[in-house]
Amino acid sequence: MATIVSEKLGHLFLNVQHFRKVPRLLEGALPSSSCTVGASDVPQVFQKPYIHAGYRPLHRTWKYYFLSLFQRHNEAINVWTHLVAALVLVVRFWRLSQAVDFHGDPHTQPLFVVAVSSIIYSTFSALAHLLQAKSEFWHCAFFFLDYVGVATYQYSSALVHYYYAIEPEWHERIVGFYIPGAVLLAWLSCAGSCYAKYRCPHLSSAVEAVLLDYETRRPVYSRLHGSLASLFSALCLLVLACCSLTALYMTAQVKHKLRQKQE
């Protein structure tokens, strides 16, 4: 009996010893907060007004930048605000999918588009702020990706306002140009932001959230829009494709510019 008890105590002691090693293992895996550098140690493209320290050094491994999610640096708040927002939106979208028939009801497609695009733009923004410090090229590339997400959300926001909240009188006035205009403006937003980042890297963009009421105005918008929900939703893919191609083109321009600088 004494032998059994001593063996169990021995196993318990070993388990406690393993638990004590966990913080040390985490400290070894995570980048140290002291690894950040000052503004003078990074290229001008990374420097922010009034922020003189907390920059992550360039040209580290991808693992370093992913693990910096759990460290203090100048982008930590930006990363977490977008990441938490994306997670909250995923949960809200899942709950919404339990109450709304996204598959069977065509009039839910604009609602589906704005929900997904909200998750996309928050996720892209979180990735941009988390990983942009790797190099000048990746700084521009990830923010171009961020602008794709913002433009996609911009179109979807315009779509849900038009689809669910518009009054019949206004619908008659703008039905011919509102959605094409929203597509064009979304692409111009992305293209303009990409070009501004290319020419003047310290510029940034912002987007505001919208609220919509899907249920109460259904008799109005279902009569106004008929079977156009699929077309409007497909245009979101067009916006996403055009913005992605624009971002890829501007990424290639940045790569060419950096290559010329090195030569």
Side-chain angles (χ1 to χ4, degrees):
M1 182 68 179
T3 304
I4 295 174
V5 172
S6 62
E7 287 180 356
K8 290 185 176 181
L9 289 174
H11 286 303
L12 179 62
F13 177 75
L14 289 174
N15 290 333
V16 171
Q17 290 293 97
H18 286 306
F19 278 117
R20 288 180 178 177
K21 293 180 181 179
V22 171
R24 297 177 185 175
L25 293 174
L26 290 176
E27 289 178 2
L30 295 175
S32 172
S33 58
S34 61
C35 288
T36 57
V37 297
S40 60
D41 298 315
V42 297
Q44 186 178 6
V45 67
F46 296 97
Q47 297 176 14
K48 302 294 183 182
Y50 313 111
I51 299 179
H52 306 294
Y55 295 88
R56 290 165 293 173
L58 279 66
H59 307 302
R60 298 293 181 90
T61 63
W62 286 113
K63 179 182 177 182
Y64 170 85
Y65 296 105
F66 275 109
L67 291 178
S68 69
L69 175 67
F70 305 103
Q71 296 296 309
R72 288 179 295 176
H73 51 80
N74 67 316
E75 292 281 9
I77 294 178
N78 285 330
V79 174
W80 277 103
T81 51
H82 288 95
L83 182 59
V84 170
L87 295 175
V88 170
L89 287 168
V90 168
V91 173
R92 293 293 298 272
F93 176 66
W94 180 81
R95 291 180 178 176
L96 185 63
S97 67
Q98 307 301 307
V100 177
D101 183 12
F102 285 122
H103 181 72
D105 184 359
H107 290 295
T108 63
Q109 291 187 21
L111 185 59
F112 177 83
V113 166
V114 75
V116 172
S117 64
S118 299
I119 297 170
I120 288 175
Y121 101 82
S122 297
T123 303
F124 284 3
S125 292
L127 288 173
H129 289 291
L130 180 64
L131 303 176
Q132 54 86 23
K134 185 171 176 61
S135 68
E136 290 187 54
F137 170 76
W138 287 111
H139 172 84
C140 292
F142 276 112
F143 275 110
F144 292 164
L145 181 69
D146 185 18
Y147 302 149
V148 171
V150 170
T152 305
Y153 176 78
Q154 178 180 326
Y155 167 76
S156 65
S157 176
L159 171 60
V160 295
H161 276 90
Y162 173 78
Y163 202 89
Y164 297 124
I166 194 170
E167 297 294 337
E169 295 78 10
W170 274 101
H171 180 267
E172 294 176 1
R173 298 179 183 179
I174 65 175
V175 62
F177 64 86
Y178 183 89
I179 291 297
V183 172
L184 177 62
L185 289 175
W187 176 78
L188 286 175
S189 171
C190 178
S193 297
C194 289
Y195 185 73
K197 171 62 72 174
Y198 174 73
R199 297 290 297 177
C200 193
H202 65 274
L203 294 179
S204 60
S205 61
V207 68
E208 295 182 356
V210 296
L211 297 176
L212 60 92
D213 192 339
Y214 160 71
E215 289 291 345
T216 57
R217 291 181 53 82
R218 185 182 182 89
V220 178
Y221 66 71
S222 60
R223 176 173 54 85
L224 291 176
H225 306 302
S227 60
L228 293 177
S230 299
L231 173 62
F232 295 153
S233 302
L235 286 174
C236 185
L237 296 178
L238 176 64
V239 171
L240 182 61
C242 292
C243 292
S244 298
L245 291 173
T246 302
L248 287 173
Y249 172 77
M250 294 306 301
T251 301
Q253 293 300 307
V254 170
K255 193 172 186 178
H256 178 68
K257 182 179 180 180
L258 293 175
R259 188 181 295 117
Q260 287 184 329
K261 185 188 296 186
Q262 291 175 354
E263 295 174 354

